[in-house]
């Protein structure tokens, strides 16, 4: 069974805090990795793709360790607007898969003033 | 920025009735997907569609479900005889190429009574 496991949360942090999310995935054939964010009752929105070398986008840094099948997301200087559920997402790399996505259940982040 | 659009935003249907959920993917995209999210649970893959045929489907996508791309713009999900457990948010997604991230529509909330 292909699974993506995430910290259960919720994470409640003050504005300006640094917060880290962790994720493990079971499908060693997964080829692509992403972090999406989802606001309450809204669609998932792509936050960033995750590359083997690690990548940064402003306050957001993502890391991937293929050997241990581990993905992380670091948010620095968190803002009130960062409050959302963060979804760790990998592609199903088996067979003729067209990159179907396997989602974690998400970690809820609440940033307080 | 181009968007995936879905209609209706909310559909209320009696159990046993047929329902059609509509999606207009981003215009030059080639890969199309349906996902669902039962309230409080993770996003789950239903079906992928490429080159005018189903590429892959999950075990959720049984004989009650079908998809169509009736013209160059629409991508529909039909549920023939709805059950109570079909109540969920249904998200359509599309992407341009196989290694691009998927972009999601804002979903249709399906409520089965």
């Amino acid at each position: 069974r292909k699974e993506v496991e995430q910290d259960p949360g919720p994470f409640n942090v003050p504005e300006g805090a640094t917060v880290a999310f962790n994720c493990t995935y079971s499908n060693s054939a997964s080829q692509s990795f992403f972090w999406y964010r989802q606001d309450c009752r809204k669609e998932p929105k792509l936050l960033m793709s995750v590359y083997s070398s690690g990548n940064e986008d402003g306050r957001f840094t993502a890391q991937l360790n293929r050997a241990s099948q581990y993905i992380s997301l670091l948010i620095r200087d968190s803002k009130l607007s960062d409050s959302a559920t963060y979804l760790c997402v990998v592609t199903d790399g088996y067979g003729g898969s067209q990159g179907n996505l396997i989602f974690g259940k998400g970690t809820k982040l609440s940033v307080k003033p | 920025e181009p968007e995936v659009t879905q209609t209706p935003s909310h559909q209320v249907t009696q159990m046993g009735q047929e329902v059609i959920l509509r999606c207009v993917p981003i215009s030059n995209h080639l890969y199309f997907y349906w996902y669902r999210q039962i309230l409080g649970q993770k996003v789950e893959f239903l079906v992928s569609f490429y080159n005018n045929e189903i590429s892959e489907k999950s075990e959720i996508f049984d004989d009650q479900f079908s998809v169509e791309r009736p013209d160059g713009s629409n991508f529909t999900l039909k549920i023939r005889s709805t059950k109570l457990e079909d109540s969920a948010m249904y998200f359509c997604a599309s992407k341009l190429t196989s290694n691009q991230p998927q972009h999601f529509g804002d979903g249709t909330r399906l409520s089965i009574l």
Side-chain angles (χ1 to χ4, degrees), chain A residues 4-43:
Chain A
V4 174
E5 300 290 340
Q6 294 186 243
D7 289 342
F11 288 9
N12 298 306
V13 303
E15 266 187 297
T18 295
V19 60
F21 301 122
N22 303 311
C23 166
T24 58
Y25 60 96
S26 63
N27 183 356
S28 59
S30 292
Q31 297 295 316
S32 299
F33 310 90
F34 309 95
W35 285 99
Y36 280 75
R37 67 171 277 170
Q38 186 175 31
D39 293 288
C40 188
R41 295 184 173 236
K42 299 286 190 182
E43 75 276 21

Side-chain angles (χ1 to χ4, degrees), chain A residues 36 38 43 98-101, chain B residues 31 33 35 37 56 102 105:
Chain A
Y36 280 75
Q38 186 175 31
E43 75 276 21
Q98 297 294 346
N100 314 328
L101 299 179
Chain B
Y31 297 81
Y33 305 83
Y35 295 83
Q37 186 176 30
E56 199 166 341
Q102 294 177 30

Side-chain angles (χ1 to χ4, degrees), chain A residues 61-74:
Chain A
T61 301
Q63 298 280 348
L64 168 65
N65 185 323
R66 280 187 180 261
S68 53
Q69 296 178 200
Y70 170 88
I71 307 166
S72 66
L73 175 70
L74 187 77

Side-chain angles (χ1 to χ4, degrees), chain A residues 1-3 32 34 36 38 41-44 46 49 87 92 94 96-101 103-105, chain B residues 31 33 35 37 39-43 45 48 50 55-56 89 91 95 100-106 109:
Chain A
R1 186 181 172 89
K2 302 161 202 169
E3 297 283 354
S32 299
F34 309 95
Y36 280 75
Q38 186 175 31
R41 295 184 173 236
K42 299 286 190 182
E43 75 276 21
L46 178 69
S49 301
L87 308 176
D92 179 352
Y94 283 113
S97 170
Q98 297 294 346
N100 314 328
L101 299 179
F103 284 77
K105 201 171 179 184
Chain B
Y31 297 81
Y33 305 83
Y35 295 83
Q37 186 176 30
L39 187 63
Q41 298 188 23
K42 62 185 178 182
V43 178
F45 166 72
S48 59
Y50 172 72
S55 310
E56 199 166 341
M89 282 290 288
F91 294 110
K95 67 181 183 183
Q100 293 281 308
Q102 294 177 30
H103 296 269
F104 284 75
D106 55 9
R109 179 173 304 283

